[in-house]
Amino acid sequence: MAFVVSSGNLATTGAGVTQGWAAPRLAAAPWEYATIWRRQPQVRTVIGFLARNVAQLGVHTFRRISDTDRERLHDHPMAELLGAPLPGMTHFRFVERMVADIALYDRWTGIKIKHNGRLRILPVPPSLIHAHGGNWIAPEYFETPGGRQFGPDEVVYIHGYSPSDLVGGESPIEALRELLLEAHESAKNRAAMWKGGARTTGVIVRPADAPESGPRPTSAGSGKCGADSPTGGGAEGGTPILEDGMDYKPVGFDPKAAQYIEARKLTREEVSAAYYIPPPLIGILDHATYSNIKEQHAHLYQDTLGPWLAMLEQELVAQILPDLPDSEGVYCEFNIAAKMRGSFEEQAAAMSTMVGAPVMTRNEGRGRINLPRIEGGDELIVPMNVTEGGLASPRDTAPDTSGAPKARPRLRVKSARPDDLGTEAGQRDALETSLVRWTEQKTDALRAAAGAKDAAMPDLLALWAAGSEDRIAQLTAMLADYGFRLAQLGAWDVLDVWNPDAADWSADVMFAWILAAAETHAEQHEEAGRKAVAAVQETGGEQWREGLAAAGASWASLAVARATTAATEARSFGGHDAAGASGLTVKVWRTGGTNPRPSHKALDGEQVGIDDVFGNGLRWPGDGAGETEELVNCMCDLDYAKEG
């Protein structure tokens, strides 16, 4: 997994990349969030709604056979792990705790353990495990209250977004803190009112010309109060006795005027908005109708729970699957299809329309109503009025469409790209300039560390090795930044033509691959520099400083080729990723550049399947899995199409 491998190399980037960076702290102690969950009914309602609705969805494990075929895996270690994360713990309780912790704390941690030779995940309450050390990208280790420490590869750590680092998220409770505090104070006020007998406070007013009279003492036994005393001398209340001309005037707000019900409803609406949940789904039915409730049910699984499910699917695959055997092409999905289907009648009508024939045998139908199987009941019965390629449905007759107007082709509207991507040429030039400048700076730093001009040659390889990890970390970050932009540019070149709405595609899923590719390029560039320095060390002599300068110049020239290769690979990968997500099945090699190598000239126009490799063994131009001589300075491109 690229992130785990990179964490050691990036251990010192915090100070160099983000000035003044310090380990993040929770805005509130874990026990405070837990107290809010226990005492605030609106928070508990919303978080419980999220956790229970996600937990009820089963998680299925699949193996991708091709873009149009996959295999359900029932006995794969991933399926077994998700079915029983711990002995005695159900899948529902496991996912419910995971979602609730993320919703409340914006983070969840599980410890990987071995039980009877199988991997299991132990969920740990956020108050019992804390991240320590590390940098703005990843913690160094996790620690439990007993002092037990776990490395990053020993835990599953899921967290949300933070504007200051990549280590942890920010709880939505922080954005709701003032609102929840207001609701808490309002509840205290109501409790005090009921504790006092739910009295309406007031004062006794008497005319200005009324004669002077001394205060009448309150009689605890009679429940009366004097003319100059406020009502309700005790918790049990009191009855004012008014003399001639006096009047009783209520003061303060009554519950209706204070709008207690509206305030409670507002709090629930704000909490649900913070978690992107439609109000009718959590009991606010002011504007609910049957039709929009049905639409909001679909909205729940598409827009509300959809991002949660995608996040959990990707995190489980990224952090658990690498530890399991036989993981090639394996992934998992929440079974959202079961919730998105209509009633049985709607499903049956739609399915028969799509396939043009019945979809169930008689025995399958009998099984649905708990009747036994019968002889000869395993064959589909097709009505006599349904023929292959004829009627659209076994439920009706085909209309005469000879005189119907032809449908106009759908006009594709160009989708706007993110504003900050720039152009491919601009990003390529910027990457080349940055990489060459960085290479020259590292060469100058090595020459400075080597000592004065007239000094004897030191151990250059030892000086080089001392800064190797820092250089790889810095270079990985630089290449990943430019690579991610170039990958998006390559993707949008395909999406603008074939999938302008970017359906079923997200740029975020490319980042892990881009990070791994960036680290590979960083290590290769580092090795090229080491070889140049080793040649100077081996040659030695009095002119070693001139030799070191020449080695630096050679390394800088290699940086130009490295930038071109990395840019082509990132751009090609982005286009390939978008093509796969858009349902394209064919890719065509297009030779580019002013002086392409003969092997690439020979490939021009070669067409293969989307998952196949070209004649040179590459999946796309710059494919890092290919031979080096096929990659360097490649400027070729791909076209995509749907087969047929």
Side-chain angles (χ1 to χ4, degrees):
M1 187 166 58
F3 180 76
V4 172
V5 174
S6 300
S7 60
N9 296 333
L10 300 177
T12 59
T13 60
V17 178
T18 306
Q19 295 183 357
W21 179 87
R25 297 179 180 274
L26 285 174
W31 61 263
E32 184 176 353
Y33 289 139
T35 301
I36 290 174
W37 180 82
R38 291 189 183 101
R39 297 184 177 179
Q40 288 286 343
Q42 317 301 0
V43 172
R44 183 160 184 165
T45 296
V46 171
I47 291 180
F49 177 85
L50 274 176
R52 290 157 62 88
N53 276 278
V54 175
Q56 70 169 326
L57 299 174
V59 182
H60 295 170
T61 303
F62 299 94
R63 188 187 306 278
R64 188 181 301 279
I65 306 301
S66 68
D67 285 346
T68 58
D69 190 18
R70 64 180 183 175
E71 175 190 6
R72 172 82 183 275
L73 304 177
H74 296 277
D75 56 355
H76 189 273
M78 187 70 168
E80 295 176 351
L81 172 62
L82 295 176
L86 277 179
M89 175 176 282
T90 64
H91 166 80
F92 184 97
R93 292 303 178 195
F94 178 76
V95 177
E96 180 187 37
R97 173 172 287 276
M98 181 187 299
V99 175
D101 280 350
I102 297 174
L104 186 61
Y105 298 93
D106 210 22
R107 60 188 177 93
W108 177 85
T109 308
I111 298 176
K112 301 176 183 178
I113 61 175
K114 286 287 186 179
H115 182 264
N116 294 333
R118 294 183 177 181
L119 177 66
R120 292 290 182 259
I121 304 297
L122 173 64
V124 184
S127 59
L128 298 183
I129 189 166
H130 301 281
H132 294 276
N135 51 59
W136 60 280
I137 294 180
E140 181 181 356
Y141 64 92
F142 296 83
E143 185 174 10
T144 57
R148 175 72 185 276
Q149 295 182 2
F150 299 89
D153 58 338
E154 296 179 289
V155 302
V156 179
Y157 182 48
I158 302 176
H159 61 81
Y161 169 76
S162 170
S164 57
D165 56 68
L166 302 179
V167 177
E170 304 285 349
S171 172
I173 300 300
E174 289 304 317
L176 297 168
R177 182 174 291 276
E178 296 298 328
L179 180 70
L180 296 176
L181 178 60
E182 179 183 347
H184 176 66
E185 294 298 328
S186 177
K188 287 171 59 179
N189 183 32
R190 289 195 300 274
M193 180 188 71
W194 288 107
K195 185 177 180 181
R199 300 186 311 276
T200 301
T201 59
V203 296
I204 295 175
V205 181
R206 66 180 184 176
D209 55 354
E212 290 292 336
S213 62
R216 178 178 299 171
T218 300
S219 173
S222 64
K224 301 176 181 178
C225 63
D228 295 332
S229 301
T231 63
E236 71 280 1
T239 301
I241 299 177
L242 305 180
E243 298 180 356
D244 294 342
M246 293 184 180
D247 190 19
Y248 178 78
K249 182 178 181 181
V251 296
F253 293 102
D254 58 36
K256 183 177 180 180
Q259 295 185 318
Y260 287 139
I261 296 176
E262 288 76 6
R264 290 173 65 91
K265 187 183 298 182
L266 175 63
T267 302
R268 179 172 292 191
E269 288 179 346
E270 291 296 327
V271 175
S272 66
Y275 289 93
Y276 310 104
I277 298 176
L281 295 177
I282 55 171
I284 302 176
L285 306 176
D286 293 0
H287 304 289
T289 64
Y290 174 79
S291 60
N292 66 24
I293 284 289
K294 190 174 182 180
E295 289 301 318
Q296 285 169 358
H297 181 267
H299 170 75
L300 168 67
Y301 288 97
Q302 292 173 346
D303 301 324
T304 300
L305 299 185
W308 278 87
L309 302 181
M311 179 267 292
L312 293 177
E313 290 167 358
Q314 294 173 23
E315 292 286 357
L316 292 173
V317 169
Q319 300 196 49
I320 297 179
L321 196 60
D323 295 326
L324 300 175
D326 189 27
S327 59
E328 182 68 25
V330 175
Y331 65 100
C332 62
E333 278 186 1
F334 282 89
N335 187 24
I336 191 174
K339 290 295 181 181
M340 296 301 295
R341 295 170 183 161
S343 65
F344 176 74
E345 292 81 2
E346 293 171 335
Q347 294 179 48
M351 186 61 66
S352 64
T353 299
M354 287 189 292
V355 303
V359 295
M360 294 179 64
T361 66
R362 283 174 290 172
N363 280 338
E364 289 171 336
R366 291 172 65 86
R368 292 187 66 91
I369 56 176
N370 297 317
L371 293 177
R373 300 172 62 84
I374 61 174
E375 186 74 23
D378 292 324
E379 298 294 331
L380 282 176
I381 297 179
V382 181
M384 294 294 293
N385 66 333
V386 177
T387 60
E388 184 177 355
L391 301 182
S393 167
R395 298 175 296 106
D396 56 10
T397 57
D400 181 10
T401 60
S402 57
K406 301 297 182 181
R408 292 185 299 173
R410 177 175 176 263
L411 298 177
R412 296 190 177 275
V413 180
K414 186 176 177 62
S415 177
R417 305 185 184 198
D419 295 333
D420 59 346
L421 290 182
T423 64
E424 180 180 336
Q427 292 298 334
R428 282 180 174 274
D429 292 344
L431 173 57
E432 179 180 319
T433 300
S434 298
L435 185 55
V436 171
R437 184 184 301 116
W438 180 90
T439 303
E440 292 172 343
Q441 291 173 350
K442 298 309 172 185
T443 301
D444 293 341
L446 180 63
R447 295 174 65 186
K453 183 176 182 180
D454 55 352
M457 183 179 68
D459 188 343
L460 296 177
L461 286 177
L463 292 175
W464 177 268
S468 179
E469 289 189 2
D470 285 349
R471 287 192 298 271
I472 292 177
Q474 295 169 13
L475 191 52
T476 298
M478 178 198 303
L479 291 171
D481 182 32
Y482 283 106
F484 192 44
R485 299 180 193 175
L486 284 160
Q488 292 180 75
L489 287 167
W492 277 105
D493 284 346
V494 175
L495 295 171
D496 284 339
V497 176
W498 296 100
N499 185 10
D501 296 328
D504 300 324
W505 179 84
S506 170
D508 294 340
V509 302
M510 300 191 300
F511 185 74
W513 189 95
I514 292 296
L515 184 61
E519 185 177 28
T520 299
H521 283 292
E523 292 172 348
Q524 292 174 350
H525 192 56
E526 171 74 8
E527 177 61 17
R530 189 199 66 79
K531 289 181 178 179
V533 173
V536 177
Q537 181 80 54
E538 183 179 354
T539 303
E542 296 181 356
Q543 304 298 319
W544 65 270
R545 292 191 66 85
E546 288 76 4
L548 192 58
S554 175
W555 193 31
S557 67
L558 292 176
V560 176
R562 176 64 57 188
T564 300
T565 304
T568 297
E569 181 183 29
R571 182 258 296 157
S572 299
F573 167 75
H576 197 276
D577 184 75
S582 302
L584 305 182
T585 58
V586 173
K587 55 188 176 185
V588 183
W589 188 284
R590 298 302 182 193
T591 303
T594 57
N595 188 25
R597 53 180 54 84
S599 61
H600 287 193
K601 284 184 178 180
L603 286 175
D604 191 32
E606 180 176 338
Q607 175 179 306
V608 298
I610 191 73
D611 293 321
D612 297 330
V613 297
F614 291 95
N616 58 357
L618 303 185
R619 293 168 294 178
W620 51 73
D623 182 6
E627 298 294 333
T628 303
E629 58 269 17
E630 289 293 326
L631 309 179
V632 178
N633 281 328
C634 177
M635 294 289 290
C636 298
D637 200 353
L638 294 181
D639 285 340
Y640 296 94
K642 291 184 178 179
E643 189 171 9

